[in-house]
Amino acid sequence: MKMPTVLLATVASFAVQAAEKIQTIPPERLANYWLLQSNSAAQANVPNSGYNLDAPTCAAVSYVVEKDGTTSHVKLEKLVPQGDLGKVAVNIVGAMRFAPAPGNLGKDAVFTYVVMPFNVPGAQSGNPADRAQRAQVLDACKLPEFGAKPK
């Protein structure tokens, strides 16, 4: 009698895993599923001393937006140039909270990433040199293979 119980438990386990499959999406599609709650995007607490704290830097951080809008599985994927700002980026993403987008009625969890800039001109700058510098820094942290299926 133990064999059918083990088989049933195995089938149930596979069904739960299939039902909880998390979709991987690029950052530009996140707004189709989840919207960042502005009050959760806290100011960064940057340490007073460390390596490359003043350098123009980008950090790519991957994470899961869970069904309740919290983040989990936060991981620093890339930091250019290397330094101590990666810890700051991970802490910021870990504190982010999201509300479901109107089309995400099932509150589907998603796996995505964000590229965070440090020490670069603001996105609203009208100066072409500032915009070029910001784009150059951010481009260094894009993850073109993110979510690609292994061969």
Side-chain angles (χ1 to χ4, degrees):
M1 278 312 239
K2 287 188 178 189
M3 185 63 90
T5 305
V6 171
L7 180 61
L8 182 59
T10 303
V11 170
S13 173
F14 283 123
V16 168
Q17 288 175 358
E20 293 179 2
K21 185 171 180 180
I22 297 173
Q23 185 176 3
T24 299
I25 61 167
E28 60 271 12
R29 290 193 42 226
L30 181 61
N32 295 338
Y33 297 88
W34 295 96
L35 305 172
L36 180 64
Q37 295 177 339
S38 59
N39 59 348
S40 75
Q43 292 291 333
N45 291 322
V46 179
N48 292 327
S49 62
Y51 182 65
N52 269 344
L53 294 181
D54 294 330
T57 303
C58 66
V61 180
S62 64
Y63 59 99
V64 173
V65 180
E66 299 288 350
K67 287 184 156 295
D68 63 358
T70 60
T71 56
S72 69
H73 300 84
V74 179
K75 179 183 175 193
L76 180 65
E77 298 287 344
K78 193 173 191 180
L79 183 68
V80 178
Q82 289 299 312
D84 292 330
L85 290 171
K87 296 173 199 166
V88 175
V90 167
N91 287 337
I92 291 170
V93 173
M96 292 190 315
R97 299 295 177 260
F98 293 84
N104 190 5
L105 299 177
K107 297 183 178 180
D108 298 330
V110 296
F111 178 57
T112 190
Y113 77 98
V114 63
V115 175
M116 303 184 78
F118 295 95
N119 305 314
V120 297
Q124 68 282 0
S125 175
N127 182 334
D130 287 351
R131 287 182 164 195
Q133 180 191 16
R134 182 180 177 85
Q136 181 182 17
V137 170
L138 291 174
D139 285 348
C141 283
K142 287 184 178 174
L143 303 175
E145 299 298 320
F146 184 80
K149 303 230 187 281
K151 294 179 180 180

